Amino acid sequence: MKLRVVPASQGLQWVKNGIAVCARQPWGFLSLLGLVVTSTILLSALPLIGAVLIVGVMPMIWMAFMLASRRVLSDKRITPLLIGELLKTSEARKRWLNLGSIYAGALFLVVALGLILGPGPSAFVEALNKTKPTESPLDNAVVLKSMLVWAALALPVSLVFWHTPALVYWGRVPVGKALFFSAVASWRNLSAFAVYGGCWVALQVAVGAVIQVLTLVIPSPTLMTVTAVMASMWVLSAFYASLYFSVVDCFESRGTATEEDDKDALPADEPAARDDLPE
């Protein structure tokens, strides 16, 4: 396994590849995301522990989508049962528990620092309570400032953990070393990740603008609500599908990608599987 530095333009390629691979099996990716969303809603009903569990399982969710993209490139069908494959062995469950605990702790620290460095918890809650139903919470300056502070603190955490699930699961790298390798890979390819993030933000804004225009043309609130939800879920599915490309492009592997060694090694380059993806 060797770190690879890619040009900034590769960030756009990751986005295009994510959209292309998601388009191959859109309902497969949507069903996988649907299971995640449903589980999140159910866990959120549990006071405190639910929020911890939701955050803690996120690295495993990222890995499930990376595994799904890899399967689609090999022309295999994907289902929500894919998540269960990540928990087959006690060793795997232990790795996910360790990684999830560290990730949950890191985000807890982000939230705590955000409350300290931002407007403060009381001002944030008061601003949310003053928001009218017809207004967006982000229209309030206090809420917007709080969200920007949290985003600025969460971004480095995301980049540190970005490659870690694949390094832990495929590469069998210890969690501590995986976090270090992931941080270095993200830093060395920061320009590509900046383009990558900017493209996804621009795409989400563009989709939102199209929905707004359609809302003015089609006088059916129910239909437009369903359309907006499905469009947002598809963009999110494509984003998660693109994680695979952003991870494997940052590392060189001497292994080969087969169904049997999914747990054992980072996949090697797969030019044959990517020939019909956009350049």
Side-chain angles (χ1 to χ4, degrees):
M1 184 179 62
K2 182 181 178 182
L3 174 65
R4 178 163 48 192
V5 179
V6 300
S9 59
Q10 194 65 18
L12 175 60
Q13 188 62 42
W14 294 338
V15 175
K16 293 164 67 176
N17 285 347
I19 294 173
V21 78
C22 188
R24 288 189 182 185
Q25 293 189 38
W27 292 111
F29 280 102
L30 283 173
S31 65
L32 187 57
L33 181 62
L35 176 62
V36 174
V37 172
T38 301
S39 301
T40 300
I41 293 173
L42 293 175
L43 288 174
S44 63
L46 301 175
L48 187 57
I49 187 63
V52 174
L53 290 174
I54 290 171
V55 175
V57 300
M58 287 311 299
M60 190 176 68
I61 298 303
W62 304 339
M63 189 66 239
F65 275 92
M66 283 188 274
L67 191 56
S69 292
R70 182 171 170 178
R71 296 281 175 84
V72 172
L73 288 174
S74 300
D75 294 323
K76 296 180 175 64
R77 301 298 299 178
I78 57 173
T79 70
L81 298 178
L82 192 66
I83 295 179
E85 296 183 22
L86 301 177
L87 299 168
K88 280 185 175 180
T89 66
S90 59
E91 181 185 355
R93 291 191 291 270
K94 182 179 179 180
R95 289 200 300 266
W96 293 125
L97 179 60
N98 290 340
L99 182 57
S101 299
I102 296 172
Y103 184 66
L107 283 196
F108 175 81
L109 182 61
V110 165
V111 173
L113 287 175
L115 292 175
I116 295 172
L117 301 177
S122 59
F124 180 73
V125 172
E126 183 180 354
L128 285 178
N129 292 334
K130 289 183 178 179
T131 302
K132 299 178 181 179
T134 57
E135 298 177 342
S136 169
L138 295 181
D139 291 336
N140 189 295
V142 174
V143 176
L144 179 60
K145 182 179 179 181
S146 297
M147 298 304 293
L148 290 175
V149 170
W150 276 322
L153 292 171
L155 181 59
V157 173
S158 297
L159 292 176
V160 168
F161 280 87
W162 197 270
H163 308 82
T164 306
L167 291 171
V168 169
Y169 184 71
W170 276 323
R172 304 259 181 177
V173 179
V175 173
K177 289 185 177 180
L179 288 168
F180 174 75
F181 292 156
S182 179
V184 173
S186 297
W187 176 255
R188 294 290 300 276
N189 291 288
L190 194 58
S191 59
F193 278 102
V195 173
Y196 175 75
C199 287
W200 282 116
V201 171
L203 180 60
Q204 187 62 60
V205 171
V207 169
V210 171
I211 296 297
Q212 290 293 328
V213 172
L214 290 177
T215 301
L216 298 176
V217 176
I218 303 176
S220 175
T222 302
L223 176 61
M224 294 317 303
T225 298
V226 173
T227 301
V229 170
M230 292 300 296
S232 296
M233 288 187 66
W234 195 88
V235 172
L236 186 57
S237 296
F239 166 74
Y240 279 132
S242 71
L243 296 179
Y244 174 81
F245 303 98
S246 68
V247 168
V248 299
D249 276 0
C250 291
F251 292 93
E252 294 178 4
S253 174
R254 297 178 182 177
T256 57
T258 66
E259 183 74 12
E260 288 75 18
D261 66 8
D262 271 344
K263 296 184 294 182
D264 300 324
L266 284 168
D269 292 338
E270 298 164 330
R274 300 191 196 186
D275 283 345
D276 56 346
L277 293 178
E279 296 295 336

